[in-house]
Amino acid sequence: NQYADEYEEYHKFALDPQDTVLLKHLTVDTLFCKHCYRPFDPKSNIENVLLTPFWALSEVLSIFLFPLTVWLPLLIVYGMLSLFEKIGSVFDDVNDAPTVLDHDRQFCSRDSLH
């Protein structure tokens, strides 16, 4: 079983012989990709399972172009919205300081505050 041999060679650890036999029985009709060890069934239509180089390249490009096409415009939109909010808060006449009246009356007597 080539997969078990490579596993043992890579991890420098011998599998139990019963596990190797079990693995052999479970993977009789399954092949593994020699690059990524992804299992695939040789009886099924392999053309439908595998990607062409064009589609593999398009998926890699979409990973790297996603931040530019989505994150950058969202960063600009949310930046402008927060800028408008800041500008609007400058022109507000409302005092932002909270008004708390006698918040410590229940804890301290009035004599000890003066």
Side-chain angles (χ1 to χ4, degrees):
N1 189 357
Q2 183 182 0
Y3 183 69
D5 293 339
E6 288 191 29
Y7 180 86
E8 289 176 349
E9 187 177 314
Y10 179 79
H11 291 285
K12 311 265 189 289
F13 177 77
L15 292 173
D16 186 56
Q18 291 178 345
D19 291 339
T20 306
V21 170
L22 178 64
L23 183 64
K24 222 178 248 190
H25 289 298
L26 290 175
T27 59
V28 168
D29 58 349
T30 303
L31 293 178
F32 292 94
C33 174
K34 64 181 180 180
H35 302 290
C36 66
Y37 298 107
R38 180 179 166 195
F40 61 92
D41 186 11
K43 295 175 188 168
S44 68
N45 190 1
I46 294 179
E47 296 299 322
N48 293 337
V49 175
L50 300 178
L51 292 176
T52 63
F54 171 77
W55 287 113
L57 181 64
S58 69
E59 289 199 13
V60 170
L61 285 176
S62 72
I63 290 169
F64 291 112
L65 292 178
F66 177 77
L68 297 176
T69 59
V70 176
W71 288 351
L72 192 59
L74 283 177
L75 182 68
I76 292 170
V77 167
Y78 287 137
M80 290 176 60
L81 287 173
S82 65
L83 185 65
F84 292 147
E85 184 71 25
K86 285 287 187 187
I87 291 172
S89 68
V90 168
F91 294 114
D92 287 341
D93 291 335
V94 178
N95 186 4
D96 289 337
T99 54
V100 179
L101 302 175
D102 295 332
H103 67 280
D104 56 352
R105 184 187 313 188
Q106 62 182 343
F107 298 110
C108 303
S109 65
R110 189 172 288 279
D111 299 333
S112 66
L113 293 176
H114 297 289

